[in-house]
Amino acid sequence: MAATGNRQILLVETPKGKLGPEHFKLTQAQMPSPTDGDALLRVRYISLDAANRAWMQGATYREAVVGGSVMAGGAIAEVVESKAPGLAAGDLVFADTGWQEFVALPGKRLTKLPKVEPLTHLLSVYGIAGLTAYFGLLNIAEPKAGETVVVSAAAGSVGSLVGQIAKIKGCRAVGIAGGRQKCDWLVKDLGFDAAVDYKGGNLFKELKEAAPKGIDVYFDNVGGDILEACLFQMNTGGRISCCGAISAYDGAAPPAGPRGVPGLIVVKRLTMKGFIVMDFFREREKAIADLASWVAAGKLKVEEDVIDGLENTPAALIGLLAGENRGKRMVKVA
Ligand SMILES: NC(=O)c1ccc[n+]([C@@H]2O[C@H](COP(=O)([O-])OP(=O)(O)OC[C@H]3O[C@@H](n4cnc5c(N)ncnc54)[C@H](OP(=O)(O)O)[C@@H]3O)[C@@H](O)[C@H]2O)c1
């Protein structure tokens, strides 16, 4: 094998405020070697996720990432050498490899992947992002044709797919995103019916214009003020799919909760339901078949934002939290 060392990115310490480059360090470690039951993996594409930042704040649906450890992160990786049953050199897997070039992991922690073109779709539409959009919208919020679906972080990896799936299901799709350019892209390129710039200073009023019949389904990626604005415009019997809370990830103490909870939930008979995509993994084959058929039919456009080089991973995550990305951001390592 040509490589002699293993470049890694460590989280130096838990950030107390905003995430910055000073919280990461690039180091060189020994090449790992697999023991019985392990596979040695070469990391190909690392997924950048808003949740990476939430993992630094404490235990979530996974253990916290602590200072001094390799930064955690999911990736597509290629098996270089296998001592794990059912895996051979050249196989592709999805795993929590962390931000590094090579890792040896037990076979039972690896999910074998099909060979798909382009490979990057395994992190976007056929990966966590696509499945989160699919299950979070269809299984949690159950939109019906003719209803109005609003999604926040709408130009991001999950949100851009949620709005398009809402359209496929015959709904009015309204996106909320930062900046006029992103909003125009959602409407002109992705077919959303309307998009609202939450940074423009008129969120409540513009949302009312974009959803004149009120909101039946709100797919919440951000929490905070945007959740509050949507709560006040929900229709009776509306459903809120709680997917994430980006507005609370990258800072010190999160702000107090939105007004309207629980009063509006009671009066409007709303349902707010959280989920973690893994809850639905047993149904993923049907979801992937549906997503693939929509991609093939040209009904679902997949936007990917690929950054080159492991050393650029910290800046790529900081940029994602600041709204630099359109669609699914990932880093090409090899
Ligand atoms: N429940 C699950 O199983 C599950 C699985 C995967 C992801 N998620 C959640 O899905 C959401 C999307 O995450 P992602 O990784 O796909 O990232 P993403 O949407 O591709 O990128 C994050 C976007 O969030 C927006 N944003 C940042 N700060 C914001 C703020 N304070 N208010 C409003 N928008 C803000 C930025 O766009 P703008 O330019 O529009 O600000 C940025 O581009 C996250 O909440 C994540 O936790 C949940």
Side-chain angles (χ1 to χ4, degrees):
M1 186 185 313
T4 53
N6 180 24
R7 289 191 311 150
Q8 305 179 316
I9 292 173
L10 307 185
L11 179 70
V12 177
E13 57 172 4
T14 305
K16 294 191 179 64
K18 253 189 156 10
L19 187 68
E22 68 280 11
H23 296 115
F24 297 99
K25 185 166 99 182
L26 181 67
T27 59
Q28 180 94 4
Q30 296 253 317
M31 272 295 287
S33 58
T35 52
D36 263 0
D38 286 357
L40 175 65
L41 307 176
R42 179 196 299 272
V43 176
R44 300 282 311 274
Y45 289 91
I46 295 174
S47 175
L48 267 295
D49 299 279
N52 296 159
R53 177 66 184 88
W55 300 342
M56 299 170 193
Q57 291 179 326
T60 50
Y61 48 90
R62 54 158 295 143
E63 61 195 23
V65 185
V66 294
S69 56
V70 174
M71 178 58 202
I76 300 173
E78 190 175 326
V79 176
V80 177
E81 182 189 341
S82 177
K83 293 185 179 172
L87 286 172
D91 283 348
L92 287 177
V93 296
F94 179 82
D96 185 349
T97 63
W99 292 7
Q100 54 190 333
E101 291 175 310
F102 294 93
V103 63
L105 288 174
K108 56 179 187 289
R109 283 172 52 191
L110 312 177
T111 306
K112 201 165 163 180
L113 295 171
K115 300 247 152 90
V116 164
E117 274 301 320
L119 189 60
T120 50
H121 276 22
L122 292 168
L123 281 189
S124 59
V125 64
Y126 307 131
I128 302 284
L131 294 173
T132 301
Y134 184 97
F135 292 124
L137 182 64
L138 302 182
N139 291 32
I140 298 289
E142 301 182 18
K144 294 170 200 65
E147 288 189 327
T148 296
V149 173
V150 173
V151 57
S152 49
S157 65
V158 174
S160 60
L161 297 172
V162 168
Q164 294 183 81
I165 298 172
K167 286 301 295 177
I168 290 166
K169 294 293 174 184
C171 300
R172 176 173 175 81
V174 177
I176 302 176
R180 208 52 258 164
Q181 272 191 336
K182 279 190 179 181
C183 290
D184 289 347
W185 173 70
L186 289 173
V187 174
K188 289 190 190 128
D189 290 31
L190 298 193
F192 282 52
D193 294 288
V196 175
D197 172 12
Y198 75 93
K199 291 180 175 167
N202 276 317
L203 172 64
F204 195 86
K205 181 170 165 284
E206 286 181 25
L207 190 55
K208 227 175 171 61
E209 285 160 11
K213 294 185 183 162
I215 303 169
D216 300 296
V217 167
Y218 172 47
F219 191 106
D220 187 20
N221 281 319
V222 306
D225 295 345
I226 295 178
L227 169 59
E228 180 173 306
C230 289
L231 266 171
F232 278 85
Q233 298 189 35
M234 294 296 297
N235 289 328
T236 300
R239 286 86 67 206
I240 300 178
S241 177
C242 297
C243 178
I246 297 174
S247 69
Y249 293 169
D250 194 21
R259 286 175 299 172
V261 178
L264 289 173
I265 297 176
V266 176
V267 175
K268 296 183 181 208
R269 291 84 158 169
L270 303 179
T271 306
M272 277 182 98
K273 191 168 179 189
F275 71 98
I276 295 293
V277 64
M278 277 82 92
D279 303 344
F280 298 101
F281 260 27
R282 261 180 295 168
E283 296 172 52
R284 75 177 182 276
E285 272 179 36
K286 177 181 180 323
I288 288 176
D290 281 347
L291 292 163
S293 72
W294 296 333
V295 171
K299 294 179 181 170
L300 192 58
K301 291 191 184 152
V302 183
E303 182 78 6
E304 294 173 344
D305 171 17
V306 183
I307 309 284
D308 210 35
L310 178 75
E311 63 284 4
N312 295 318
T313 317
L317 178 60
I318 294 162
L320 175 132
L321 296 166
E324 259 177 21
N325 64 307
R326 242 188 218 183
K328 175 69 204 166
R329 177 163 274 202
M330 61 188 88
V331 170
K332 182 173 193 284
V333 178

